[in-house]
Amino acid sequence: MKHGWKMESQRKAYSKALVELGNQRSDIVVLDADLSSSTQTIKFAEAFPERFFNCGIAEANMMDTAAGLAASGKTVFVSTFAVFGTGRCYDQIRQSIAYPKLNVKIVVSHAGITVGGDGASHQITEDVALMRVLPNMTVIVPADSPETYRTIFEIVKNKNPTYVRMGRADVPSITEGLESFEIGKATVMKEGDDVTLIGTGIMVSRCLSAAEELKKQGIGARVINMSTVKPLDEKTIVKAARETGAMVTAEEHNILEGLGSAVAMVLGENANVPLKRVGIPDIFGESGDSEELMEKYGLTAENIVNAAHEVLARKK
Amino acid sequence: MDLLDPKEMDALNERARTIRQHIIKMTHAAGSGHPGGSLSAVEILTTLYFKIMKHDPKNPGWIDRDRFVLSKGHAAPALYAILAEAGYFPLEELMTLRKLGCRLQGHPSMRCTPGVEMSTGSLGHGLAVANGMALAARLDRKLHRIFVLCGDGEMNVGEIWESAMLAAHYKLDNVTMFLDRNMLQLDGPTEKIMSLEPLTDKWKAFGWQVQEIDGHSIKEIIIASQNALRCHGKPSVIICHTVKGKGVSFMEGAVRFHGKAPVDEECEKALGELEVCR
C-alpha cells in the first residue's frame, strides 16, 4: 500500500522544536541519559549548553533531578529511549513527578518494535500502559513528525507531567498541513459511516491505508488519530461508535492496557458496538528489520482491513 | 566564633525537647508512624530551621529561600513538628497526622503541607531532587542553598550513589547533605542488613567534602554547617552520628520503634522523661 507520504524522523522534529523553544523561553531545561545523539537532544545541548544536563546512564537519578528542577520553576524535558525512560525509573516518575504533579515532560524515542535490530530488550510495548495508569499524567503518541513538532509546543502551554512517545524509524508524514493540535482532542482524518478505525502513532498511517482498501470494497471507514491516549477523547469515540456501529483500534503496543484497552473501556460503558484490537499480542518482540517486524506481528493495513471485516460481520 | 551564643544554644536545645514531645504525641495520636528515625533527626532539623536556613514561614514560596528536602520521608513527624513550631501552620494541626482529610500525610506531600518542598517517602530520591534544585538555583544565579536529610538505611539505594556522582560532577557546592547515621534500619542494624562502612571513605571517593559529627550536638551541627557553606567546588555531606529514638530511654537504639507508634503507657512514660530532662 504505497502512498506519496514523506518519510520523516520524529526525533528530528522533536529536536527542532526544542531548539526553537529554547530560543523563546529561558525556563526550558533538557536532561538526557547518555543517548542525546540518538534522541537528538544533542541539538539543544549544542545550542544551550548551560541548560542541558547529561545525567549519564542513571535514569532514576535523572527523573528525580528533573523533579527538583521543575519544583524550582523550570520546564524540564527528559529524554532517553522509551524502554529506559519508563521501566528503569517508574518509582521516580510516580513519586516525584506524577504525585506532586511537577512540570516534567518525558519525551522518549525508540518505542515499540520498530526499534528493529536491537531486539526485545529495547522494544518496549508496555510503556503507554505504565504511564496511562499514573494519576496526573498526560500520555501522547504523535502520529508522525509534523504532529510531534506541534505536540512539543502544545505541551509547554501547561505545567502537567506529560509522556510523549516517539519511534526510532522514520514515519509517513500524514498530518502535514494540518494546523492544529489540541491535547485530549482526537483528529478525524477521514470520514466514513460503516466502521471506525482508531490509531495512534505509526498505526494511523496504516489505518489510512486500510481505509483506502476498504473504500475499494465499498466500505466507508472513518479514521481517527487518537494521539492523546490520556486524557482520552471519549466524546469522539462514542460519537463514532454510534454513527458507524463498529470499531477497530490499532497501536504499536501490547494490546493489553494501551489504546485498545482504553477504547474498550469507553465502549463498555457508553456504546455497545463490536470492537477488534490490532496490536502486539502480549508477547515480546525480537530482532529484525522494522518493516519485517511490523508484518510478522500483524501491525499492517491488511490486518486492519481483516479486523474491519470481522467487526462488520459481528455488527449484522 | 560568635555563632555559638550560650543563650541561643540553650533555646535551641529547649526547642529540640519540645519537638520531641510533639513527635511522641503525634505518633501516639495517629496510632502509627516512625518515631525512632524522627527522634534521631531532631537536633539536625532544629538547627537547620531555627539557626542555619533562610526561610519565611509567612511566605513559604519566597523565591530566595533555602530549600530543605526530607529524603527520609518517614521522619515526617519531625518535619511537621518543626514546621508548626516555625509557624507554617497551627500547632494544633499536628494532632491530625495521618488522619483522613488532613494536610499532614503519613509521608510528606508538597501539595498538602505548607513548607514541604518535595513529596518524599520512597527512599533514595531526595538527594537527586536536591541536585535538581541546586542546578536550578545556579541557572537562575541565585545564592540560596539546598539542604537534604537522608537516613543511613537509605544508603542501600543505588540512586543515592548516582546522585552522589552527579552532584560532584556538576560541582554542586550549594548542596549540603545531612546523613542521619543512627545505625539502625527497619530490619535491624545497618551493618547486619547491608554493610555501609567505610561510609566516610565512600563519600570522599565520590568527590564530596565529608565531616563527621555528633548529630545531637547543636554546636557541632552549626560548625559543620558553616564549614559546608564555605566549601567551594564540591558538595558537602555531614555524617551525623545519632541514636535512633534519642531522648526516650526505652526507644533509644530500639529497632521496634522504627515504624511503631507508642501506645498509651509508652506515650505517658516518654513524655514524662522529656519533661524532666531539661
Side-chain angles (χ1 to χ4, degrees):
Chain A
M1 302 203 181
K2 294 285 172 203
H3 290 265
W5 293 319
K6 247 192 297 180
M7 299 295 285
E8 289 180 298
S9 156
Q10 290 181 293
R11 288 177 279 161
K12 283 188 183 153
Y14 168 47
S15 72
K16 184 168 179 281
L18 261 190
V19 172
E20 288 177 25
L21 263 182
N23 272 315
Q24 293 166 14
R25 288 172 50 165
S26 62
D27 65 315
I28 305 285
V29 174
V30 178
L31 309 185
D32 204 305
D34 195 32
L35 285 170
S36 65
S37 47
S38 283
T39 62
Q40 293 289 307
T41 58
I42 193 166
K43 296 280 190 287
F44 184 93
E46 287 163 358
F48 310 100
E50 74 289 352
R51 281 191 269 149
F52 175 83
F53 301 102
N54 203 324
C55 297
I57 309 159
E59 294 76 9
N61 184 48
M62 175 166 70
M63 289 300 171
D64 277 332
T65 305
L69 280 154
S72 301
K74 302 297 175 194
T75 298
V76 191
F77 281 84
V78 181
S79 289
T80 175
F81 289 175
V83 69
F84 307 137
T86 53
R88 278 170 70 88
C89 46
Y90 193 74
D91 188 46
Q92 286 70 22
I93 297 173
R94 178 186 189 275
Q95 310 283 355
S96 302
I97 296 172
Y99 176 42
K101 203 174 181 186
L102 285 169
N103 191 11
V104 177
K105 316 300 184 188
I106 304 166
V107 183
V108 295
S109 68
H110 292 62
I113 58 165
T114 48
V115 162
D118 280 348
S121 66
H122 284 50
Q123 297 164 339
I124 193 164
T125 57
E126 67 276 16
D127 54 319
V128 170
L130 290 169
M131 292 299 116
R132 189 167 77 90
V133 293
L134 281 174
N136 293 335
M137 185 65 76
T138 296
V139 181
I140 303 175
V141 187
D144 62 1
S145 169
E147 190 168 70
T148 302
Y149 180 81
R150 291 192 296 272
T151 297
I152 300 307
F153 285 95
E154 203 58 30
I155 60 176
V156 295
K157 290 179 183 167
N158 64 58
K159 292 185 186 294
N160 299 331
T162 304
Y163 180 74
V164 179
R165 181 194 215 227
M166 307 185 290
R168 179 191 69 84
D170 288 355
V171 292
S173 290
I174 54 170
T175 72
E176 193 153 29
L178 296 179
E179 287 305 312
S180 66
F181 169 78
E182 201 180 318
I183 296 167
K185 188 87 183 72
T187 315
V188 177
M189 304 288 291
K190 193 178 181 334
E191 290 294 350
D193 294 327
D194 298 322
V195 62
T196 302
L197 315 177
I198 305 183
T200 51
I202 193 172
M203 294 309 288
V204 183
S205 63
R206 269 53 172 183
C207 287
L208 287 169
S209 300
E212 290 289 314
E213 182 60 30
L214 288 164
K215 190 180 171 191
K216 287 179 199 160
Q217 300 168 11
I219 298 163
R222 182 176 304 186
V223 176
I224 294 173
N225 172 14
M226 191 62 70
S227 34
T228 310
V229 176
K230 184 186 172 184
L232 194 63
D233 184 353
E234 299 192 8
K235 216 173 123 188
T236 298
I237 296 170
V238 173
K239 182 169 183 279
R242 289 191 179 137
E243 289 173 5
T244 67
M247 209 160 256
V248 175
T249 59
E251 61 196 309
E252 188 196 353
H253 188 272
N254 195 328
I255 52 165
L256 300 182
E257 307 310 331
L259 171 76
S261 292
V263 170
M265 288 175 191
V266 174
L267 294 185
E269 289 179 348
N270 298 284
N272 188 19
V273 305
L275 168 73
K276 177 75 179 173
R277 294 167 297 147
V278 173
I280 315 269
D282 197 25
I283 51 173
F284 284 104
E286 62 188 295
S287 290
D289 172 75
S290 57
E291 280 302 321
E292 289 171 354
L293 288 163
M294 293 286 275
E295 288 276 339
K296 175 162 180 178
Y297 290 86
L299 302 178
T300 61
E302 288 81 354
N303 212 23
I304 297 170
V305 169
N306 294 338
H309 283 299
E310 188 186 316
V311 288
L312 283 166
R314 279 159 56 199
K315 183 173 157 183
K316 283 159 195 166
Chain B
M1 81 183 76
D2 58 354
L3 290 161
L4 307 173
D5 169 39
K7 274 190 188 150
E8 192 184 6
M9 304 294 284
D10 285 349
L12 287 168
N13 277 309
E14 181 60 20
R15 181 85 78 172
R17 195 169 64 87
T18 308
I19 299 294
R20 286 200 162 87
Q21 291 171 337
H22 288 317
I23 292 168
I24 297 299
K25 288 179 194 163
M26 289 163 76
T27 50
H28 171 252
S32 64
H34 299 79
S38 296
L39 291 169
S40 63
V42 168
E43 280 78 12
I44 300 168
L45 287 169
T46 303
T47 310
L48 273 176
Y49 275 86
F50 295 97
K51 176 69 184 171
I52 304 294
M53 282 171 47
K54 289 179 287 142
H55 64 116
D56 180 4
K58 297 283 170 288
N59 183 12
W62 176 37
I63 198 89
D64 292 320
R65 72 194 183 279
D66 290 336
R67 269 71 167 175
F68 173 77
V69 178
L70 183 67
S71 193
K72 47 174 290 186
H74 55 278
L79 178 61
Y80 294 152
I82 289 276
L83 291 174
E85 280 285 323
Y88 281 90
F89 50 84
L91 282 165
E92 305 84 78
E93 196 169 342
L94 290 176
M95 291 306 131
T96 67
L97 174 71
R98 292 180 169 238
K99 299 276 195 321
L100 187 64
C102 72
R103 295 199 292 179
L104 308 186
Q105 295 293 295
H107 292 82
S109 166
M110 64 184 285
R111 297 300 181 200
C112 295
T113 316
V116 169
E117 297 281 1
M118 174 55 60
S119 305
T120 51
S122 180
L123 293 172
H125 296 209
L127 180 54
V129 169
N131 288 343
M133 293 175 172
L135 289 170
R138 180 183 287 177
L139 282 173
D140 294 337
R141 312 264 189 277
K142 296 284 190 188
L143 296 176
H144 64 257
R145 305 192 55 91
I146 321 297
F147 297 93
V148 53
L149 174 63
C150 292
D152 51 2
E154 213 178 351
M155 298 299 110
N156 297 171
V157 182
E159 187 190 346
I160 287 288
W161 303 100
E162 297 180 355
S163 315
M165 273 191 274
L166 187 140
H169 179 77
Y170 287 106
K171 301 182 169 52
L172 298 179
D173 53 15
N174 48 353
V175 169
T176 303
M177 175 180 146
F178 288 83
L179 207 172
D180 186 357
R181 186 74 173 109
N182 62 31
M183 304 298 287
L184 292 175
Q185 55 194 107
L186 193 146
D187 268 346
T190 59
E191 300 314 289
K192 191 178 157 204
I193 305 302
M194 186 54 61
S195 317
L196 297 174
E197 295 298 341
L199 199 50
T200 297
D201 293 349
K202 285 190 171 87
W203 284 96
K204 278 185 181 158
F206 273 75
W208 286 56
Q209 184 205 56
V210 187
Q211 301 177 77
E212 278 193 81
I213 63 165
D214 172 356
H216 298 304
S217 161
I218 286 174
K219 180 181 160 187
E220 290 189 28
I221 296 167
I222 293 173
I223 292 169
S225 299
Q226 295 298 334
N227 290 340
L229 298 186
R230 282 194 298 269
C231 171
H232 295 296
K234 52 164 82 172
S236 200
V237 56
I238 301 169
I239 299 177
C240 303
H241 293 283
T242 58
V243 174
K244 200 154 184 168
K246 175 74 176 177
V248 178
S249 61
F250 57 93
M251 287 186 169
E252 289 191 358
V255 169
R256 74 186 185 97
F257 283 106
H258 167 89
K260 187 192 157 295
V263 296
D264 292 349
E265 315 84 75
E266 290 166 337
C267 177
E268 200 176 322
K269 190 162 175 245
L271 290 175
E273 289 186 17
L274 288 167
E275 199 56 49
V276 296
C277 76
R278 54 195 312 170

